[in-house]
Amino acid sequence: MKTKQSLLLVIAFVCVFAGTVFAQESQPQQTSAPPAQQNPGLDIQGIKTYLLGPGDVVDVRVFGQPELSSTAQVDGDGNLSALPFLETPIRAKCRTDKDVQKDIQLAYSKFINNPQVSVRIAERNSRQPATVFGAVRQATRVEMKRKVRLNELMAVSGGFTERAAGTIQILHTEPLMCPEPGEEAEAAPIDGTKIPLQIVRIADLRTGKPEANPVIRPGDYVLVTEAEPVYITGAVVSPGGLFLRDQLTLSRALAMVGGVRKEAKLNDVVIYRQVPGSVKQETIHVDVAAIKKNQKDDFILQPYDIIEVNEAGMFSSSRIGQTLVGALTGGLTGAISTTGTYLPTRIIY
């Protein structure tokens, strides 16, 4: 049963990803991306500390011995097994090119006096790009040549949009390739019985909490969840729709639409809430006046709530219908997110 639930969760996550990408790709393409985003700067330190993995290609040169020079790929076992005249494979996985160079030089010293060996990484293929999508300015795929933290990925994708709901979901699709001490458990194969899904609050990331800025693995899917709407109608300054942020309260929502008008009936604000699994709605009456006086706790809104602020001494169903239609049809048009239209690939060295 757990395996089935885990599989359903993965399928749901991938479906959200596919739907988001389709929606973004269907929008007109933006052609004025800054050159700095197209050609990010090179981090030399990241290249120097790059650890080899399966699929990477190295160029091996033995000076004065052209028959020993070759290009070799790290195989699935993490070894260089196709070097000329060497029967024993050279271990390459999770090692730098300099470490591998020393081993190759030692191996060839059995045949050549003091061989001069050079090893250069020709292709870096072992790390799959991480994918960032959802409520970000630019959905993108990011190739990472070094350890990259969540805040760097958010910067590469242009930051959050107004539709960000307040959480970031990180789905690991591959085990950690080169774990450091204490990270061995993350190197275990992902078998589907336990979904490696991590949830980070945007507020915690912005305040600099270390646990909210994890290292992103190659192949990760990073989804900035998009907010669902609530609708505010009646005696408010700007009736319309709002995107539901983390723990959005009724008082804050009213302030976000400019506040209430002077004729508003604050002691009986009506909230229409959909009953889960039904077409029916429940009606909730909230005393906002008491909330303002700290006599009652503020009211937490839920997705698709409809807030009706009546006028004192008036309760016209036709008036409610008119304002509600205005909110549903026009309230959200100014808040539609214009995220990226395609998924370019960035590289973080």
Side-chain angles (χ1 to χ4, degrees), residues 143-159:
E143 293 185 7
M144 300 174 294
K145 308 307 182 185
R146 58 171 172 82
K147 281 193 173 182
V148 176
R149 293 195 174 271
L150 178 60
N151 61 348
E152 294 181 88
L153 244 65
M154 293 301 100
V156 168
S157 61

Side-chain angles (χ1 to χ4, degrees), residues 178-242:
C178 301
E180 294 183 355
E183 297 178 335
E184 290 80 6
E186 298 183 44
I190 297 175
D191 58 8
T193 59
K194 184 179 180 182
I195 299 302
L197 180 66
Q198 183 178 1
I199 297 178
V200 173
R201 295 182 70 249
I202 293 176
D204 293 340
L205 179 63
R206 283 174 168 163
T207 55
K209 292 185 178 180
E211 64 274 14
N213 192 25
V215 173
I216 302 301
R217 301 182 196 174
D220 280 359
Y221 287 117
V222 181
L223 168 64
V224 180
T225 55
E226 294 190 342
E228 295 172 306
V230 296
Y231 306 96
I232 303 178
T233 70
V236 294
V237 174
S238 300
L242 296 174

